[in-house]
Amino acid sequence: MNTPQPSQSTWDAVDRALEQWLAPQDEALQATTMSAERAGLPRIAVSPAQGRLLEVLARAIGAGRILEIGTLAGFSTIWLARALPPGGSLVTLELDPGRAQLAHENIDRAGCGEMVRIVVGPAAESLESLRATCAPPFDLVFIDADREHCPAYLEHAIALSRPGTLIIVDNAVHRGRVIEQGTGEPSVEGVRAMMDAIQRHPRLKAAGIQTVGAKGYDGLVLALVGDAPRAESDPLNILLRHDAWATREVLRACAGLTDEQWHRRFEIGPGSLHDALTHIVGAMLRWADRIDGPPTELRPSIEGDVRRTPAELLVILDAAAADLAASAERARTRGLGTEFAVTLAGQTHRFTLGAALVHVTTHGMHHRAQCLNMLRHLGVPGVSDRLPEIDPLDWQLQAKA
Ligand code: SAH
Ligand code: MG
């Protein structure tokens, strides 16, 4: 028998049932929804079931300080504020002064006025100001404003976090549009860029979940903030971070070279500073893809006819280092002793993930030594004579400074 796929009418009915069983609304919450209707606001507040989820999550982590981005009429604000212990506080950011005023009345009516501060204005600016005040970190951040600025909101949220802070992003699936590539639409591109940033971020562990309900088809991302970077003790992380830093140092040293010096041919390694540094960064990209393995395919090589400036190569280096670090994290999850197949010059070899990662970084070190020699040959004052050894101990000293 073919069971029809449940659709919107079922989701509505189930949400009403869940609300009655688990998330009953008091008069203040009902009045908030009615006020939003009367004001003609879009029906984009969380559902009662979702509001209850926010409350349960906030209670589960014992959140005492909550940040919300996107207030509307204050519906989600009230659920979150009700999770706060005595003395707790919530800051909520809203662009539209009319909505903020309405939310203010609704939040007061719900008895949460003492705990809640509404900040009116573009959220990115309000977040900058919050960071400037050096206030204590938030325990929970609920991102629920425009999708376009999600990457910026995420970055600010992390800056305003402590290890253990939970960041919740609403509307992250966008009726499935999150997987559409190259739409050029700010709302789609914004969520996609945020997903990439979460994937790359060394401090975040995140889950994504699709949701259906009275608000249609969408989804949530829950990201847990981990420990702040500190003096590294893990050998693989030291290798990876030192490698990216050292190549950056060499590229910076090349920024002052003339075009002729940057491309001058030497009987050393790949033959010029441009070629050697492009080769180092190219290998990082290649190995990031190889380490991830199928279905990830090798990207087109950056080595070839294109000539790039040191500044252009720096941008690619930063992306390559982030990609490699993310691949290394995934490799760690799979186990660094896991073997994988690599085809080099037509021959297939099997290496462990750990060996491949050590290879990329020592490969960088090998070619950087060639670069240092080319720089010495060029004899550029302030570059060839002052370039440090850029070894891992230099890196640790600089990281502490
Ligand atoms: N969290 C609310 C719903 C928020 S709807 C709830 O579930 O009840 C999104 C809100 O973000 C809207 O009120 C909109 O005015 C606000 N918003 C959109 N862009 C913004 C921006 N750049 N800065 C601050 N708020 C913004
Ligand atoms: Mg929302």
Side-chain angles (χ1 to χ4, degrees):
M1 195 182 80
N2 253 347
T3 327
Q5 277 298 318
S7 60
Q8 189 62 53
S9 57
T10 313
W11 305 341
D12 283 336
V14 172
D15 244 357
R16 275 197 300 276
L18 289 176
E19 180 190 331
Q20 278 170 17
W21 274 320
L22 310 175
Q25 298 183 76
D26 65 0
E27 275 175 26
L29 282 165
Q30 284 168 349
T32 297
T33 304
M34 266 147 41
S35 79
E37 291 279 323
R38 268 199 308 277
L41 297 187
R43 295 180 178 173
I44 51 175
V46 295
S47 67
Q50 291 167 335
R52 184 64 148 186
L53 174 67
L54 293 175
E55 181 190 341
V56 168
L57 288 171
R59 284 183 187 271
I61 62 166
R65 286 177 48 82
I66 297 177
L67 171 64
E68 178 181 66
I69 309 175
T71 319
L72 195 69
F75 190 72
S76 55
T77 321
I78 294 170
W79 286 100
L80 283 167
R82 287 183 169 170
L84 287 169
S89 65
L90 186 155
V91 179
T92 181
L93 314 180
E94 173 55 51
L95 178 65
D96 183 298
R99 293 178 181 187
Q101 179 53 39
L102 188 63
H104 184 76
E105 291 159 18
N106 289 329
I107 290 162
D108 273 353
R109 191 191 304 110
C112 306
E114 295 272 285
M115 307 173 127
V116 175
R117 180 160 71 94
I118 307 177
V119 181
V120 183
E125 286 175 26
S126 309
L127 288 161
E128 286 286 353
S129 315
L130 276 174
R131 283 173 72 170
T133 61
C134 294
F138 292 97
D139 307 311
L140 187 153
V141 183
F142 179 46
I143 302 180
D144 189 22
D146 58 304
R147 291 188 180 88
E148 181 180 352
H149 293 112
C150 274
Y153 297 156
L154 176 76
E155 194 203 311
H156 287 300
I158 296 166
L160 291 162
S161 290
R162 57 166 175 80
T165 293
L166 181 64
I167 300 175
I168 306 173
V169 187
D170 195 21
N171 310 112
V173 169
H174 204 350
R175 293 198 177 79
R177 302 207 57 204
V178 66
I179 59 170
E180 290 178 21
Q181 296 185 19
T183 62
E185 279 179 51
S187 66
V188 178
E189 301 295 337
V191 184
R192 291 179 60 81
M194 178 194 72
M195 292 293 191
D196 287 339
I198 295 177
Q199 182 193 28
R200 277 203 296 267
H201 203 288
R203 288 183 68 195
L204 296 181
K205 278 239 179 322
I209 186 107
Q210 305 182 65
T211 56
V212 294
K215 302 288 165 163
Y217 166 42
D218 216 311
L220 291 172
V221 167
L222 306 183
L224 191 59
V225 180
D227 284 335
R230 50 193 146 76
E232 240 353 306
S233 62
D234 176 86
L236 179 57
N237 286 348
I238 291 177
L239 278 174
L240 288 166
R241 292 183 55 197
H242 161 263
D243 184 57
W245 169 80
T247 303
R248 221 173 275 133
E249 289 295 295
V250 177
L251 272 170
R252 285 212 187 97
C254 292
L257 299 179
T258 64
D259 210 44
E260 187 277 320
Q261 290 170 321
W262 173 234
H263 291 288
R264 171 119 37 113
R265 306 304 300 176
F266 295 95
E267 287 297 320
I268 302 176
S272 71
L273 282 161
H274 170 272
D275 289 1
L277 285 156
T278 306
H279 179 60
I280 294 172
V281 178
M284 292 167 77
L285 292 166
R286 250 188 322 277
W287 282 97
D289 291 343
R290 283 180 181 146
I291 286 162
D292 280 340
T296 303
E297 289 177 19
L298 289 198
R299 288 166 264 212
S301 171
I302 60 164
E303 294 171 71
D305 298 334
V306 183
R307 287 188 158 202
R308 297 181 180 83
T309 63
E312 285 167 343
L313 213 44
L314 260 178
V315 175
I316 306 178
L317 168 65
D318 283 341
D323 277 7
L324 190 60
S327 299
E329 273 312 305
R330 288 188 286 271
R332 218 191 266 282
T333 310
R334 282 149 68 199
L336 294 176
T338 308
E339 287 200 345
F340 71 116
V342 186
T343 307
L344 300 172
Q347 274 221 318
T348 302
H349 307 269
R350 294 188 69 79
F351 299 119
T352 62
L353 292 167
L357 283 160
V358 170
H359 161 71
V360 202
T361 59
T362 52
H363 173 265
M365 205 172 313
H366 172 79
H367 288 292
R368 274 194 305 275
Q370 298 172 337
C371 294
L372 295 185
N373 271 312
M374 293 186 225
L375 282 164
R376 285 199 180 102
H377 278 293
L378 288 171
V380 184
V383 174
S384 64
D385 52 342
R386 256 189 253 154
L387 203 65
E389 283 189 26
I390 53 172
D391 80 342
L393 299 185
D394 278 339
W395 171 69
Q396 287 255 313
L397 289 177
Q398 141 124 8
K400 273 198 195 130

